[in-house]
PDB file of all heavy atoms in Angstrom:
ATOM      1  N   ARG B   9     -37.060  12.347  -1.832  1.00  0.00           N
ATOM      2  CA  ARG B   9     -38.292  13.145  -1.743  1.00  0.00           C
ATOM      3  C   ARG B   9     -39.360  12.579  -2.685  1.00  0.00           C
ATOM      4  O   ARG B   9     -40.504  12.386  -2.292  1.00  0.00           O
ATOM      5  CB  ARG B   9     -38.007  14.607  -2.077  1.00  0.00           C
ATOM      6  CG  ARG B   9     -39.245  15.451  -2.310  1.00  0.00           C
ATOM      7  CD  ARG B   9     -39.011  16.915  -2.081  1.00  0.00           C
ATOM      8  NE  ARG B   9     -38.838  17.210  -0.661  1.00  0.00           N
ATOM      9  CZ  ARG B   9     -38.837  18.440  -0.147  1.00  0.00           C
ATOM     10  NH1 ARG B   9     -38.987  19.477  -0.933  1.00  0.00           N
ATOM     11  NH2 ARG B   9     -38.686  18.620   1.137  1.00  0.00           N
ATOM     12  N   LEU B  19     -43.728  14.988   5.090  1.00  0.00           N
ATOM     13  CA  LEU B  19     -42.397  15.152   5.665  1.00  0.00           C
ATOM     14  C   LEU B  19     -42.410  14.785   7.143  1.00  0.00           C
ATOM     15  O   LEU B  19     -41.573  14.036   7.635  1.00  0.00           O
ATOM     16  CB  LEU B  19     -41.961  16.612   5.482  1.00  0.00           C
ATOM     17  CG  LEU B  19     -40.472  16.924   5.540  1.00  0.00           C
ATOM     18  CD1 LEU B  19     -39.713  16.231   4.442  1.00  0.00           C
ATOM     19  CD2 LEU B  19     -40.243  18.418   5.460  1.00  0.00           C
ATOM     20  N   ARG B  20     -43.414  15.289   7.837  1.00  0.00           N
ATOM     21  CA  ARG B  20     -43.534  15.027   9.272  1.00  0.00           C
ATOM     22  C   ARG B  20     -43.646  13.544   9.593  1.00  0.00           C
ATOM     23  O   ARG B  20     -42.945  13.016  10.444  1.00  0.00           O
ATOM     24  CB  ARG B  20     -44.777  15.716   9.827  1.00  0.00           C
ATOM     25  CG  ARG B  20     -44.558  17.125  10.267  1.00  0.00           C
ATOM     26  CD  ARG B  20     -45.811  17.638  10.999  1.00  0.00           C
ATOM     27  NE  ARG B  20     -45.919  19.084  10.921  1.00  0.00           N
ATOM     28  CZ  ARG B  20     -45.060  19.923  11.487  1.00  0.00           C
ATOM     29  NH1 ARG B  20     -44.036  19.461  12.153  1.00  0.00           N
ATOM     30  NH2 ARG B  20     -45.208  21.224  11.359  1.00  0.00           N
ATOM     31  N   ALA B  31     -37.124  19.516  10.658  1.00  0.00           N
ATOM     32  CA  ALA B  31     -36.342  20.586  10.047  1.00  0.00           C
ATOM     33  C   ALA B  31     -35.105  20.039   9.348  1.00  0.00           C
ATOM     34  O   ALA B  31     -34.830  20.375   8.192  1.00  0.00           O
ATOM     35  CB  ALA B  31     -35.931  21.589  11.108  1.00  0.00           C
ATOM     36  N   SER B  34     -36.104  18.080   6.228  1.00  0.00           N
ATOM     37  CA  SER B  34     -36.398  18.980   5.112  1.00  0.00           C
ATOM     38  C   SER B  34     -35.110  19.443   4.440  1.00  0.00           C
ATOM     39  O   SER B  34     -34.987  19.445   3.212  1.00  0.00           O
ATOM     40  CB  SER B  34     -37.192  20.180   5.629  1.00  0.00           C
ATOM     41  OG  SER B  34     -37.217  21.206   4.665  1.00  0.00           O
ATOM     42  N   LYS B  35     -34.166  19.819   5.267  1.00  0.00           N
ATOM     43  CA  LYS B  35     -32.890  20.288   4.725  1.00  0.00           C
ATOM     44  C   LYS B  35     -32.161  19.175   3.988  1.00  0.00           C
ATOM     45  O   LYS B  35     -31.532  19.399   2.953  1.00  0.00           O
ATOM     46  CB  LYS B  35     -32.022  20.851   5.850  1.00  0.00           C
ATOM     47  CG  LYS B  35     -32.508  22.205   6.341  1.00  0.00           C
ATOM     48  CD  LYS B  35     -31.835  22.627   7.640  1.00  0.00           C
ATOM     49  CE  LYS B  35     -32.510  23.867   8.204  1.00  0.00           C
ATOM     50  NZ  LYS B  35     -32.147  24.123   9.609  1.00  0.00           N
ATOM     51  N   ARG B  38     -33.429  18.554   0.529  1.00  0.00           N
ATOM     52  CA  ARG B  38     -33.046  19.602  -0.419  1.00  0.00           C
ATOM     53  C   ARG B  38     -31.540  19.789  -0.536  1.00  0.00           C
ATOM     54  O   ARG B  38     -31.070  20.742  -1.159  1.00  0.00           O
ATOM     55  CB  ARG B  38     -33.717  20.912  -0.015  1.00  0.00           C
ATOM     56  CG  ARG B  38     -35.208  20.919  -0.324  1.00  0.00           C
ATOM     57  CD  ARG B  38     -35.901  22.098   0.293  1.00  0.00           C
ATOM     58  NE  ARG B  38     -35.793  22.092   1.734  1.00  0.00           N
ATOM     59  CZ  ARG B  38     -35.078  22.986   2.435  1.00  0.00           C
ATOM     60  NH1 ARG B  38     -34.454  23.962   1.825  1.00  0.00           N
ATOM     61  NH2 ARG B  38     -35.014  22.890   3.747  1.00  0.00           N
TER      62      ARG B  38
ATOM     63  P    DT C   6     -50.215  17.413   7.992  1.00  0.00           P
ATOM     64  OP1  DT C   6     -50.492  16.096   7.391  1.00  0.00           O
ATOM     65  OP2  DT C   6     -49.758  17.529   9.400  1.00  0.00           O
ATOM     66  O5'  DT C   6     -49.152  18.164   7.075  1.00  0.00           O
ATOM     67  C5'  DT C   6     -49.487  18.484   5.725  1.00  0.00           C
ATOM     68  C4'  DT C   6     -48.380  19.317   5.125  1.00  0.00           C
ATOM     69  O4'  DT C   6     -48.408  20.636   5.707  1.00  0.00           O
ATOM     70  C3'  DT C   6     -46.976  18.771   5.365  1.00  0.00           C
ATOM     71  O3'  DT C   6     -46.332  18.580   4.119  1.00  0.00           O
ATOM     72  C2'  DT C   6     -46.293  19.810   6.232  1.00  0.00           C
ATOM     73  C1'  DT C   6     -47.080  21.072   5.917  1.00  0.00           C
ATOM     74  N1   DT C   6     -47.110  22.087   6.997  1.00  0.00           N
ATOM     75  C2   DT C   6     -46.701  23.369   6.713  1.00  0.00           C
ATOM     76  O2   DT C   6     -46.306  23.710   5.611  1.00  0.00           O
ATOM     77  N3   DT C   6     -46.765  24.249   7.765  1.00  0.00           N
ATOM     78  C4   DT C   6     -47.200  23.978   9.056  1.00  0.00           C
ATOM     79  O4   DT C   6     -47.212  24.861   9.904  1.00  0.00           O
ATOM     80  C5   DT C   6     -47.614  22.613   9.296  1.00  0.00           C
ATOM     81  C7   DT C   6     -48.090  22.214  10.647  1.00  0.00           C
ATOM     82  C6   DT C   6     -47.550  21.741   8.261  1.00  0.00           C
ATOM     83  P    DT C   7     -44.919  17.936   4.002  1.00  0.00           P
ATOM     84  OP1  DT C   7     -44.857  17.219   2.721  1.00  0.00           O
ATOM     85  OP2  DT C   7     -44.619  17.239   5.275  1.00  0.00           O
ATOM     86  O5'  DT C   7     -43.978  19.218   3.901  1.00  0.00           O
ATOM     87  C5'  DT C   7     -44.221  20.175   2.872  1.00  0.00           C
ATOM     88  C4'  DT C   7     -43.393  21.418   3.107  1.00  0.00           C
ATOM     89  O4'  DT C   7     -43.809  22.058   4.333  1.00  0.00           O
ATOM     90  C3'  DT C   7     -41.893  21.193   3.237  1.00  0.00           C
ATOM     91  O3'  DT C   7     -41.260  21.876   2.161  1.00  0.00           O
ATOM     92  C2'  DT C   7     -41.539  21.765   4.607  1.00  0.00           C
ATOM     93  C1'  DT C   7     -42.679  22.734   4.851  1.00  0.00           C
ATOM     94  N1   DT C   7     -42.982  23.063   6.280  1.00  0.00           N
ATOM     95  C2   DT C   7     -42.886  24.378   6.684  1.00  0.00           C
ATOM     96  O2   DT C   7     -42.551  25.287   5.949  1.00  0.00           O
ATOM     97  N3   DT C   7     -43.180  24.589   8.008  1.00  0.00           N
ATOM     98  C4   DT C   7     -43.575  23.635   8.937  1.00  0.00           C
ATOM     99  O4   DT C   7     -43.825  23.955  10.090  1.00  0.00           O
ATOM    100  C5   DT C   7     -43.664  22.284   8.449  1.00  0.00           C
ATOM    101  C7   DT C   7     -44.080  21.181   9.371  1.00  0.00           C
ATOM    102  C6   DT C   7     -43.371  22.067   7.150  1.00  0.00           C
ATOM    103  P    DT C   8     -39.684  21.865   1.955  1.00  0.00           P
ATOM    104  OP1  DT C   8     -39.424  22.010   0.508  1.00  0.00           O
ATOM    105  OP2  DT C   8     -39.114  20.743   2.721  1.00  0.00           O
ATOM    106  O5'  DT C   8     -39.267  23.231   2.660  1.00  0.00           O
ATOM    107  C5'  DT C   8     -39.868  24.431   2.220  1.00  0.00           C
ATOM    108  C4'  DT C   8     -39.383  25.601   3.059  1.00  0.00           C
ATOM    109  O4'  DT C   8     -39.903  25.468   4.406  1.00  0.00           O
ATOM    110  C3'  DT C   8     -37.859  25.718   3.197  1.00  0.00           C
ATOM    111  O3'  DT C   8     -37.484  26.991   2.715  1.00  0.00           O
ATOM    112  C2'  DT C   8     -37.601  25.538   4.699  1.00  0.00           C
ATOM    113  C1'  DT C   8     -38.929  25.941   5.307  1.00  0.00           C
ATOM    114  N1   DT C   8     -39.263  25.311   6.619  1.00  0.00           N
ATOM    115  C2   DT C   8     -39.523  26.113   7.704  1.00  0.00           C
ATOM    116  O2   DT C   8     -39.462  27.327   7.666  1.00  0.00           O
ATOM    117  N3   DT C   8     -39.850  25.445   8.862  1.00  0.00           N
ATOM    118  C4   DT C   8     -39.953  24.074   9.021  1.00  0.00           C
ATOM    119  O4   DT C   8     -40.266  23.584  10.101  1.00  0.00           O
ATOM    120  C5   DT C   8     -39.667  23.285   7.845  1.00  0.00           C
ATOM    121  C7   DT C   8     -39.740  21.800   7.913  1.00  0.00           C
ATOM    122  C6   DT C   8     -39.339  23.934   6.711  1.00  0.00           C
ATOM    123  P    DT C   9     -35.950  27.347   2.501  1.00  0.00           P
ATOM    124  OP1  DT C   9     -35.869  28.184   1.287  1.00  0.00           O
ATOM    125  OP2  DT C   9     -35.154  26.110   2.595  1.00  0.00           O
ATOM    126  O5'  DT C   9     -35.601  28.248   3.767  1.00  0.00           O
ATOM    127  C5'  DT C   9     -36.535  29.236   4.195  1.00  0.00           C
ATOM    128  C4'  DT C   9     -36.133  29.813   5.539  1.00  0.00           C
ATOM    129  O4'  DT C   9     -36.700  28.990   6.593  1.00  0.00           O
ATOM    130  C3'  DT C   9     -34.634  29.863   5.796  1.00  0.00           C
ATOM    131  O3'  DT C   9     -34.222  31.222   5.760  1.00  0.00           O
ATOM    132  C2'  DT C   9     -34.449  29.249   7.197  1.00  0.00           C
ATOM    133  C1'  DT C   9     -35.867  29.089   7.709  1.00  0.00           C
ATOM    134  N1   DT C   9     -36.109  27.841   8.492  1.00  0.00           N
ATOM    135  C2   DT C   9     -36.587  27.936   9.782  1.00  0.00           C
ATOM    136  O2   DT C   9     -36.821  28.984  10.348  1.00  0.00           O
ATOM    137  N3   DT C   9     -36.796  26.723  10.400  1.00  0.00           N
ATOM    138  C4   DT C   9     -36.562  25.460   9.865  1.00  0.00           C
ATOM    139  O4   DT C   9     -36.779  24.452  10.523  1.00  0.00           O
ATOM    140  C5   DT C   9     -36.055  25.438   8.525  1.00  0.00           C
ATOM    141  C7   DT C   9     -35.767  24.137   7.857  1.00  0.00           C
ATOM    142  C6   DT C   9     -35.848  26.620   7.900  1.00  0.00           C
ATOM    143  P    DG C  10     -32.738  31.702   5.903  1.00  0.00           P
ATOM    144  OP1  DG C  10     -32.628  33.033   5.274  1.00  0.00           O
ATOM    145  OP2  DG C  10     -31.842  30.609   5.471  1.00  0.00           O
ATOM    146  O5'  DG C  10     -32.581  31.872   7.480  1.00  0.00           O
ATOM    147  C5'  DG C  10     -33.469  32.712   8.190  1.00  0.00           C
ATOM    148  C4'  DG C  10     -33.163  32.634   9.673  1.00  0.00           C
ATOM    149  O4'  DG C  10     -33.645  31.372  10.206  1.00  0.00           O
ATOM    150  C3'  DG C  10     -31.664  32.691  10.018  1.00  0.00           C
ATOM    151  O3'  DG C  10     -31.481  33.511  11.155  1.00  0.00           O
ATOM    152  C2'  DG C  10     -31.317  31.241  10.328  1.00  0.00           C
ATOM    153  C1'  DG C  10     -32.613  30.770  10.963  1.00  0.00           C
ATOM    154  N9   DG C  10     -32.822  29.325  10.936  1.00  0.00           N
ATOM    155  C8   DG C  10     -32.471  28.457   9.927  1.00  0.00           C
ATOM    156  N7   DG C  10     -32.794  27.207  10.200  1.00  0.00           N
ATOM    157  C5   DG C  10     -33.380  27.269  11.453  1.00  0.00           C
ATOM    158  C6   DG C  10     -33.914  26.240  12.259  1.00  0.00           C
ATOM    159  O6   DG C  10     -33.989  25.030  12.022  1.00  0.00           O
ATOM    160  N1   DG C  10     -34.418  26.744  13.454  1.00  0.00           N
ATOM    161  C2   DG C  10     -34.396  28.056  13.832  1.00  0.00           C
ATOM    162  N2   DG C  10     -34.926  28.345  15.009  1.00  0.00           N
ATOM    163  N3   DG C  10     -33.894  29.025  13.087  1.00  0.00           N
ATOM    164  C4   DG C  10     -33.414  28.564  11.921  1.00  0.00           C
ATOM    165  P    DA C  11     -30.038  34.065  11.540  1.00  0.00           P
ATOM    166  OP1  DA C  11     -29.924  35.427  10.981  1.00  0.00           O
ATOM    167  OP2  DA C  11     -29.018  33.046  11.188  1.00  0.00           O
ATOM    168  O5'  DA C  11     -30.122  34.164  13.132  1.00  0.00           O
ATOM    169  C5'  DA C  11     -31.387  34.168  13.797  1.00  0.00           C
ATOM    170  C4'  DA C  11     -31.278  33.388  15.092  1.00  0.00           C
ATOM    171  O4'  DA C  11     -31.600  31.987  14.854  1.00  0.00           O
ATOM    172  C3'  DA C  11     -29.887  33.401  15.721  1.00  0.00           C
ATOM    173  O3'  DA C  11     -29.981  33.678  17.120  1.00  0.00           O
ATOM    174  C2'  DA C  11     -29.354  32.002  15.462  1.00  0.00           C
ATOM    175  C1'  DA C  11     -30.629  31.181  15.479  1.00  0.00           C
ATOM    176  N9   DA C  11     -30.550  29.922  14.733  1.00  0.00           N
ATOM    177  C8   DA C  11     -30.026  29.738  13.489  1.00  0.00           C
ATOM    178  N7   DA C  11     -30.084  28.492  13.063  1.00  0.00           N
ATOM    179  C5   DA C  11     -30.699  27.821  14.117  1.00  0.00           C
ATOM    180  C6   DA C  11     -31.055  26.473  14.295  1.00  0.00           C
ATOM    181  N6   DA C  11     -30.831  25.522  13.370  1.00  0.00           N
ATOM    182  N1   DA C  11     -31.637  26.126  15.455  1.00  0.00           N
ATOM    183  C2   DA C  11     -31.845  27.073  16.368  1.00  0.00           C
ATOM    184  N3   DA C  11     -31.573  28.378  16.309  1.00  0.00           N
ATOM    185  C4   DA C  11     -30.988  28.686  15.145  1.00  0.00           C
ATOM    186  P    DC C  12     -28.720  33.989  17.990  1.00  0.00           P
ATOM    187  OP1  DC C  12     -29.128  34.975  19.003  1.00  0.00           O
ATOM    188  OP2  DC C  12     -27.569  34.240  17.099  1.00  0.00           O
ATOM    189  O5'  DC C  12     -28.454  32.604  18.743  1.00  0.00           O
ATOM    190  C5'  DC C  12     -29.467  32.039  19.565  1.00  0.00           C
ATOM    191  C4'  DC C  12     -29.200  30.582  19.809  1.00  0.00           C
ATOM    192  O4'  DC C  12     -29.261  29.852  18.571  1.00  0.00           O
ATOM    193  C3'  DC C  12     -27.808  30.271  20.370  1.00  0.00           C
ATOM    194  O3'  DC C  12     -27.911  30.053  21.780  1.00  0.00           O
ATOM    195  C2'  DC C  12     -27.373  29.010  19.629  1.00  0.00           C
ATOM    196  C1'  DC C  12     -28.591  28.642  18.791  1.00  0.00           C
ATOM    197  N1   DC C  12     -28.268  28.006  17.493  1.00  0.00           N
ATOM    198  C2   DC C  12     -28.550  26.646  17.309  1.00  0.00           C
ATOM    199  O2   DC C  12     -29.082  26.022  18.227  1.00  0.00           O
ATOM    200  N3   DC C  12     -28.240  26.058  16.125  1.00  0.00           N
ATOM    201  C4   DC C  12     -27.679  26.781  15.153  1.00  0.00           C
ATOM    202  N4   DC C  12     -27.393  26.166  14.010  1.00  0.00           N
ATOM    203  C5   DC C  12     -27.376  28.163  15.317  1.00  0.00           C
ATOM    204  C6   DC C  12     -27.680  28.736  16.490  1.00  0.00           C
TER     205       DC C  12
END
Side-chain angles (χ1 to χ4, degrees):
Chain B
R9 167 156 289 192
L19 201 62
R20 272 189 206 294
S34 166
K35 286 168 189 165
R38 286 170 299 112

